[in-house]
Amino acid sequence: MMTFRAIQISRYASRSLFLSTHAVGSAFPHAKFRLSAVPGAVFHQGGSRSFASHAPKASEILSAVYRVRLRIAQWVWYGNLLFTKLKPILLSNSGASLIGLTLGTGSNLIYASYVNCKREQGLQSALALGSVPDVEGGRVLAERKEIKEALTTLLQPASDHSQYGMVIGSQGTGKTTLVRQVAHNHAGILYVNIQPSGVTEQEFAETVAKALHFFPRSRVWFNIVLSQLGIVTHDVEDKRKYLVQVFDEFTRQAKIYRQKTNRPPVLVLDNVNRLAAGNPGLLNILQDIAKDAADDGIFITVFVASEGQAPLQILGRSAQSRLGRVIVVKDLTKEEALRYLCHQHGKHRDIAEAVYDFTGGRIAYLKSALTQLNSGIPVLGIRQQFLDTGRDVFTKAKCMPDDEFKLVAIPLARKMLLAGAISREDFEEGAGSQTTAKRLLAVNIFTLSPYSELVVFDSKPIQLVAQEVVGNAAQRRRSWLWLW
């Protein structure tokens, strides 16, 4: 019986030992595989050559490694062959141009893809939580729980909501502050603050684009060249109006947001009274866009405006539109104003009541008075400053043509002091015409609340100055009658 003895075969320097000369890759000399290169290979002497029983998977490993090396060798061989064939062409002038064209196109394609990816991320972040700018840090805001709850409901509509809304109030009542404070704590809100210089269509579109983080898609250069040659490609230049491009993009983002959250996003347009004064036609277009978007359930628009022409224009067209809830932001009540001054800012009650008497709870006036109080200015000095500002308004109103101030404004002010407020019809009747009534409203002595259709004094300081003016006019009239 033949005995076997196992020996350890060391690595061999020879490249021909155990080579398969009839392998598929034998045409590639560098692809031959040396079995002795695998450490730990154990063979039996005196029998058929095989691996020892303690390494049953060694043959599979060797086979896998061999196949990988063979495939690499094949690719290298084909690469060398291709380079050999193309080398004369590549070294020519046309070949160098082809290489530059290929590298330039590839680089441009990669850059365009990167820019468009960042663009999409920026567009989606416009509706993220906290995208609406918050009020300045460190400010102590008045506690207005009821109005904040109403704004939260308006800015977080249900999935089936199909009406746009409006927030109105006199200047200085805190509309913008309240809207930003509530909107900052919720996602799905695009806040657009219309600037005084942004009332044209192009300027307004740029304001919306800035809030949306919108800019046109980056195009690959050869598509631009083909377009110039009249060849239609999938990547064509958008030649529509910029406002149409911006709102189409916002509509696309709104649909994506609705699919993710099952509720429509909200577009807040603040200070639309600037559009009503400078570009009323654009305000009509925006109202139509708001109606269509609400009908389709894509997004909800909320108009924020001061009392005056903008609410009148929107409400005047609301019969054929989908205007829903209207939130009126009023001055603070006396209790709210005293709580704000005493509890939140630590002012004595007597001082707080004196401040309320000439500010009337207008939050902007209360903040201004607090700033001056903290600077050491006495209450009487602050009151005098507010009244001087009101007298300036009346001085400008005295320049109205045809003695309208003397013949119309003073009698209407006298009537309003007695009644507290008069209806819009009575105001226009007392003014003599709608044109004169609009001029009186424009001088900021009177203001029309469009939702209640009542005309009141624009503010508490204006009311106090009106008492002086009416009193002085009555005194002069008595003096004239006595002399006569």
Side-chain angles (χ1 to χ4, degrees):
M1 183 176 181
M2 184 179 293
T3 60
F4 296 89
R5 111 186 123 82
I7 62 172
Q8 175 77 32
I9 299 179
S10 61
R11 297 172 182 261
Y12 286 89
S14 173
R15 295 177 54 85
S16 61
L17 185 61
F18 299 127
L19 288 176
S20 175
T21 58
H22 301 288
V24 178
S26 59
F28 312 103
H30 56 277
K32 295 179 180 179
F33 179 68
R34 186 174 69 250
L35 296 179
S36 60
V38 180
V42 181
F43 298 91
H44 286 278
Q45 182 182 10
S48 61
R49 190 168 53 203
S50 61
F51 287 107
S53 58
H54 68 273
K57 295 184 178 180
S59 59
E60 288 84 352
I61 297 175
L62 290 174
S63 178
V65 173
Y66 175 76
R67 286 194 298 270
V68 172
R69 293 188 61 179
L70 179 60
R71 182 57 58 87
I72 294 174
Q74 288 175 339
W75 280 109
V76 171
W77 186 83
Y78 284 123
N80 290 335
L81 178 63
L82 181 64
F83 178 75
T84 301
K85 298 295 185 182
L86 296 178
K87 184 176 180 181
I89 301 176
L90 296 176
L91 293 180
S92 64
N93 292 333
S94 58
S97 300
L98 180 62
I99 293 175
L101 182 64
T102 303
L103 293 177
T105 302
S107 301
N108 183 245
L109 181 61
I110 294 173
Y111 174 76
S113 300
Y114 171 77
V115 171
N116 290 332
C117 180
K118 299 296 291 184
R119 172 182 180 271
E120 187 67 22
Q121 293 177 0
L123 290 169
Q124 294 183 8
S125 68
L127 294 175
L129 178 64
S131 60
V132 178
D134 197 3
V135 295
E136 292 81 355
R139 290 176 56 181
V140 180
L141 303 176
E143 298 177 359
R144 310 176 78 171
K145 294 182 179 180
E146 292 184 3
I147 196 71
K148 289 179 181 178
E149 291 175 357
L151 287 173
T152 301
T153 304
L154 184 63
L155 298 177
Q156 295 289 284
S159 59
D160 58 346
H161 194 86
S162 59
Q163 293 178 318
Y164 64 92
M166 184 165 61
V167 180
I168 59 176
S170 299
Q171 292 186 358
T173 53
K175 303 180 301 297
T176 297
T177 299
L178 287 168
V179 169
R180 287 174 54 183
Q181 185 184 15
V182 174
H184 179 74
N185 298 319
H186 298 282
I189 301 174
L190 182 69
Y191 176 82
V192 179
N193 185 20
I194 301 172
Q195 302 298 321
S197 59
V199 296
T200 66
E201 182 177 310
Q202 180 67 23
E203 292 168 341
F204 173 75
E206 292 173 355
T207 303
V208 179
K210 183 178 180 180
L212 186 59
H213 307 154
F214 170 83
F215 56 88
R217 294 181 61 86
S218 180
R219 303 177 63 204
V220 181
W221 72 270
F222 60 81
N223 284 330
I224 300 176
V225 174
L226 292 177
S227 298
Q228 294 294 330
L229 296 176
I231 301 175
V232 179
T233 64
H234 72 282
D235 183 14
V236 296
E237 182 182 3
D238 194 346
K239 295 184 178 180
R240 299 173 299 172
K241 289 185 177 181
Y242 196 52
L243 181 64
V244 177
Q245 297 182 40
V246 172
F247 268 89
D248 278 359
E249 183 60 49
F250 176 67
T251 299
R252 186 178 74 87
Q253 294 298 328
K255 292 178 179 179
I256 295 174
Y257 181 85
R258 185 178 179 89
Q259 287 179 345
K260 292 180 179 179
T261 62
N262 194 31
R263 65 178 183 83
V266 176
L267 172 64
V268 177
L269 299 177
D270 196 1
N271 288 314
V272 295
N273 43 287
R274 292 168 178 167
L275 291 180
N279 194 350
L282 179 56
L283 182 56
N284 289 338
I285 294 174
L286 294 176
Q287 192 174 2
D288 293 337
I289 292 175
K291 174 187 176 298
D292 294 340
D295 287 340
D296 298 334
I298 300 174
F299 62 86
I300 304 300
T301 307
V302 175
F303 296 96
V304 183
S306 299
E307 293 178 341
Q309 183 59 35
L312 292 175
Q313 181 176 338
I314 294 174
L315 289 171
R317 302 179 72 242
S318 62
Q320 63 266 25
S321 65
R322 282 193 172 271
L323 177 61
R325 186 174 185 180
V326 177
I327 297 178
V328 181
V329 181
K330 301 179 179 179
D331 292 334
L332 298 180
T333 63
K334 185 174 182 178
E335 180 183 354
E336 292 173 335
L338 295 180
R339 187 186 309 119
Y340 176 71
L341 295 172
C342 299
H343 297 168
Q344 295 185 242
H345 289 275
K347 301 302 178 183
H348 193 274
R349 186 176 180 86
D350 293 340
I351 295 178
E353 289 184 349
V355 170
Y356 177 79
D357 287 341
F358 62 83
T359 59
R362 184 71 52 90
I363 188 65
Y365 296 166
L366 292 174
K367 293 177 181 178
S368 177
L370 278 172
T371 301
Q372 297 183 66
L373 284 172
N374 294 333
S375 300
I377 302 176
V379 175
L380 292 178
I382 300 173
R383 185 179 190 276
Q384 189 63 38
Q385 291 182 15
F386 275 85
L387 294 182
D388 289 342
T389 302
R391 293 186 184 101
D392 291 340
V393 174
F394 275 84
T395 301
K396 294 178 181 178
K398 290 178 181 178
C399 299
M400 295 179 67
D402 302 327
D403 288 334
E404 287 180 351
F405 178 78
K406 183 188 299 183
L407 300 177
V408 178
I410 292 180
L412 285 174
R414 184 183 300 111
K415 185 176 181 180
M416 196 170 297
L417 287 171
L418 294 174
I422 57 178
S423 66
R424 181 180 181 181
E425 291 78 6
D426 291 342
F427 183 79
E428 291 178 351
E429 182 180 353
S433 66
Q434 291 185 350
T435 303
T436 303
K438 287 182 179 180
R439 283 202 294 266
L440 289 173
L441 291 173
V443 297
N444 297 324
I445 294 178
F446 309 104
T447 185
L448 170 63
S449 177
Y451 213 52
S452 62
E453 290 288 307
L454 292 177
V455 180
V456 296
F457 287 110
D458 187 71
S459 63
K460 185 67 174 182
I462 293 294
Q463 180 181 349
L464 295 175
V465 176
Q467 292 175 351
E468 292 181 359
V469 173
V470 171
N472 293 336
Q475 182 65 33
R476 287 194 298 270
R477 185 170 182 273
R478 285 194 297 268
S479 300
W480 182 81
L481 289 175
W482 183 82
L483 290 175
W484 185 80

